[in-house]
Amino acid sequence: MGLDHRLSAEHEELRRTVAAFARDVIAPKIGDHYERHEFPYEIVREMGRMGLFGLPFPEEYGGMGGDYLALCLALEEIARVDSSVAITLEAAVSLGAMPLYRFGTEEQKREWLPRLCTGEMLGAFGLTEPDVGSDAGGTRTTAVRDGGDWVINGTKSFITNSGTDITGVVTVTAVTGRKPDGAPLISSILVPSGTPGFTVAPGYSKVGWCASDTHELSFSDVRVPAAHLLGEEGRGYAQFLRILDEGRIAIAALATGLAQGCLDESLDYAAARTAFGRPIGANQAIQFKLADMEMRAHTARLAWRDAAARLMAGEPFKRQAAIAKLYSSESAVTNAREATQIHGGYGFMNEYPVARMWRDSKILEIGEGTSEVQRMLIARDLGLPA
């Protein structure tokens, strides 16, 4: 399949609209939220009014009737300015709403999706546990049927959008039985916020993404109706693998935005900053850094768009998603480091966006599948032994 990187008129209009919003609304405000570790509710409300949370969902569920490319374009443009806001959108859509859309019953979709699509409510995805990261098959949280309810016990960690004032539901993965060989049967269950026994711990003190919402969650004899099962019982593992495959494309777009934002800031700084009587951008050492930063951002963009195109065409995309996530995240880390170096001492000051980008970049090599996991997935798809 050949890749045409040119955007349609509709996609280009969306990209420009979100870019202007990021520049004019997010950029002037987010620094204060970031330093105070505060969730930017007013920005999120405006994003909801713009329809960003409903971009890839059908209009019948309150969405905008767009596609996955539209979501990723928005993520890239927002991440050029700030990653906390970008990850709030990415997690709300890819992890909060998408499992409901992909696997929910018609009743579940109509109950939850309209509010999730407008940003009135945020959803979260409870997968990771304190002792279970990349080995998601080792899930220890349990859900046991008791009459017409599921009774859930366990702990989830590093869960984005799980403790805001507008968080409404968390999809929790839990062991609901055992296969004949003793392997766990994992299912996904919807747990509304405020359910008795469902406790949200205080927010983490994080290196980056300081204006996003991240908590540990605990479940102590939490009861939810049996009808809150999402998809088929025992199919939760396969479900979240599909969700993570898609989500890697979105994270790749976000990482590309950060990489591009580092270049944007560095180009402006290299033109304005003088040393020894001329702009530092006239120095070949700086020019080569900037050229390499452009190369990484450009290639990362092609990688995630290729993966998105395959997803939307119904073609296999797992390998391309892993490649895009791996390359773009490592490019973001490298571009953030180089941007900080170009800015010199100012790059170490939090008043400059590149300092925030530097702090935000590292998690991209960890979240939604570490770089090591991406290499493992690529190797397996090449036919190498598991």
Side-chain angles (χ1 to χ4, degrees):
M1 183 185 88
L3 173 64
D4 185 351
H5 69 278
R6 295 169 296 182
L7 299 178
S8 68
E10 292 80 6
H11 282 121
E12 177 59 22
E13 181 180 3
L14 170 69
R15 189 198 67 77
R16 290 180 181 273
T17 299
V18 177
F21 173 76
R23 181 183 64 248
D24 299 337
V25 177
I26 299 176
K29 299 178 180 178
I30 195 60
D32 288 340
H33 287 287
Y34 196 92
E35 289 306 307
R36 295 194 301 266
H37 291 234
E38 291 180 352
F39 189 75
Y41 285 101
E42 73 279 14
I43 294 175
V44 170
R45 282 193 292 270
E46 182 63 26
M47 291 163 62
R49 287 191 288 268
M50 293 173 65
L52 299 186
F53 290 97
L55 276 174
F57 302 114
E59 295 178 9
E60 64 179 301
Y61 300 120
M64 297 295 288
D67 53 26
Y68 213 78
L69 175 61
L71 169 65
C72 292
L73 288 170
L75 289 171
E76 180 179 336
E77 292 302 327
I78 292 172
R80 286 177 75 161
V81 169
D82 179 72
S83 291
S84 292
V85 178
I87 194 59
T88 298
L89 175 61
E90 191 279 333
V93 177
S94 295
L95 302 179
M98 193 60 74
L100 269 158
Y101 176 62
R102 294 288 187 211
F103 310 114
T105 63
E106 191 63 25
E107 291 75 16
Q108 289 170 340
K109 292 177 185 179
R110 296 200 178 278
E111 178 180 358
W112 298 104
L113 280 180
R115 287 175 289 171
L116 294 172
C117 285
T118 61
E120 171 190 346
M121 173 189 291
L122 295 180
F125 190 62
L127 171 63
T128 304
E129 300 185 358
D131 296 320
V132 180
S134 298
D135 180 20
T139 296
R140 298 180 181 177
T141 296
T142 61
V144 178
R145 280 295 295 270
D146 182 21
D149 294 335
W150 289 105
V151 181
I152 305 171
N153 285 278
T155 303
K156 299 294 181 177
S157 55
F158 313 133
I159 309 304
T160 304
N161 292 344
S162 59
T164 73
D165 294 343
I166 56 175
T167 299
V169 63
V170 179
T171 301
V172 177
T173 55
V175 177
T176 55
R178 296 283 171 179
K179 298 177 183 178
D181 62 0
L185 286 169
I186 298 175
S187 302
S188 299
I189 301 172
L190 299 167
V191 181
S193 297
T195 302
F198 174 16
T199 303
V200 180
Y204 292 100
S205 176
K206 297 175 291 186
V207 171
W209 286 358
C210 295
S212 76
D213 178 83
T214 319
H215 298 268
E216 182 175 271
L217 309 177
S218 62
F219 304 86
S220 179
D221 291 332
V222 172
R223 285 183 173 269
V224 298
H228 281 210
L229 178 72
L230 185 63
E232 299 178 31
E233 183 176 350
R235 293 287 297 166
Y237 190 81
Q239 290 171 11
F240 69 66
L241 287 180
R242 165 72 189 212
I243 291 299
L244 291 179
D245 284 341
E246 293 185 11
R248 285 173 184 134
I249 303 174
I251 290 293
L254 189 158
T256 301
L258 190 151
Q260 183 66 52
C262 289
L263 175 60
D264 296 341
E265 293 294 331
S266 297
L267 284 169
D268 289 344
Y269 186 81
R273 177 76 162 95
T274 60
F276 304 103
R278 63 177 186 170
I280 64 171
N283 298 322
Q284 192 177 67
I286 301 297
Q287 291 178 356
F288 281 7
K289 286 183 182 295
L290 294 169
D292 285 345
M293 291 168 73
E294 165 65 11
M295 173 188 67
R296 295 184 199 100
H298 176 77
T299 306
R301 183 173 300 111
L302 293 177
W304 79 250
R305 288 192 185 181
D306 176 49
R310 293 172 187 273
L311 165 63
M312 294 187 299
E315 299 177 0
F317 67 93
K318 180 188 289 284
R319 184 197 307 180
Q320 287 76 19
I323 290 170
K325 200 275 183 181
L326 174 61
Y327 183 82
S328 62
S329 61
E330 296 192 347
S331 294
V333 171
T334 302
N335 275 18
R337 184 181 67 246
E338 294 288 54
T340 303
Q341 191 71 18
I342 289 170
H343 279 69
Y346 292 109
F348 204 64
M349 300 297 115
N350 283 326
E351 65 186 278
Y352 281 77
V354 295
R356 190 168 71 242
M357 293 172 178
W358 185 49
R359 292 164 66 179
D360 289 341
S361 65
K362 182 57 191 174
I363 186 60
L364 297 170
E365 295 182 318
I366 299 171
E368 294 207 34
T370 63
S371 292
E372 290 76 15
V373 165
Q374 305 315 311
R375 288 182 166 90
M376 178 185 71
L377 292 173
I378 295 166
R380 287 181 180 177
D381 202 63
L382 291 172
L384 298 170

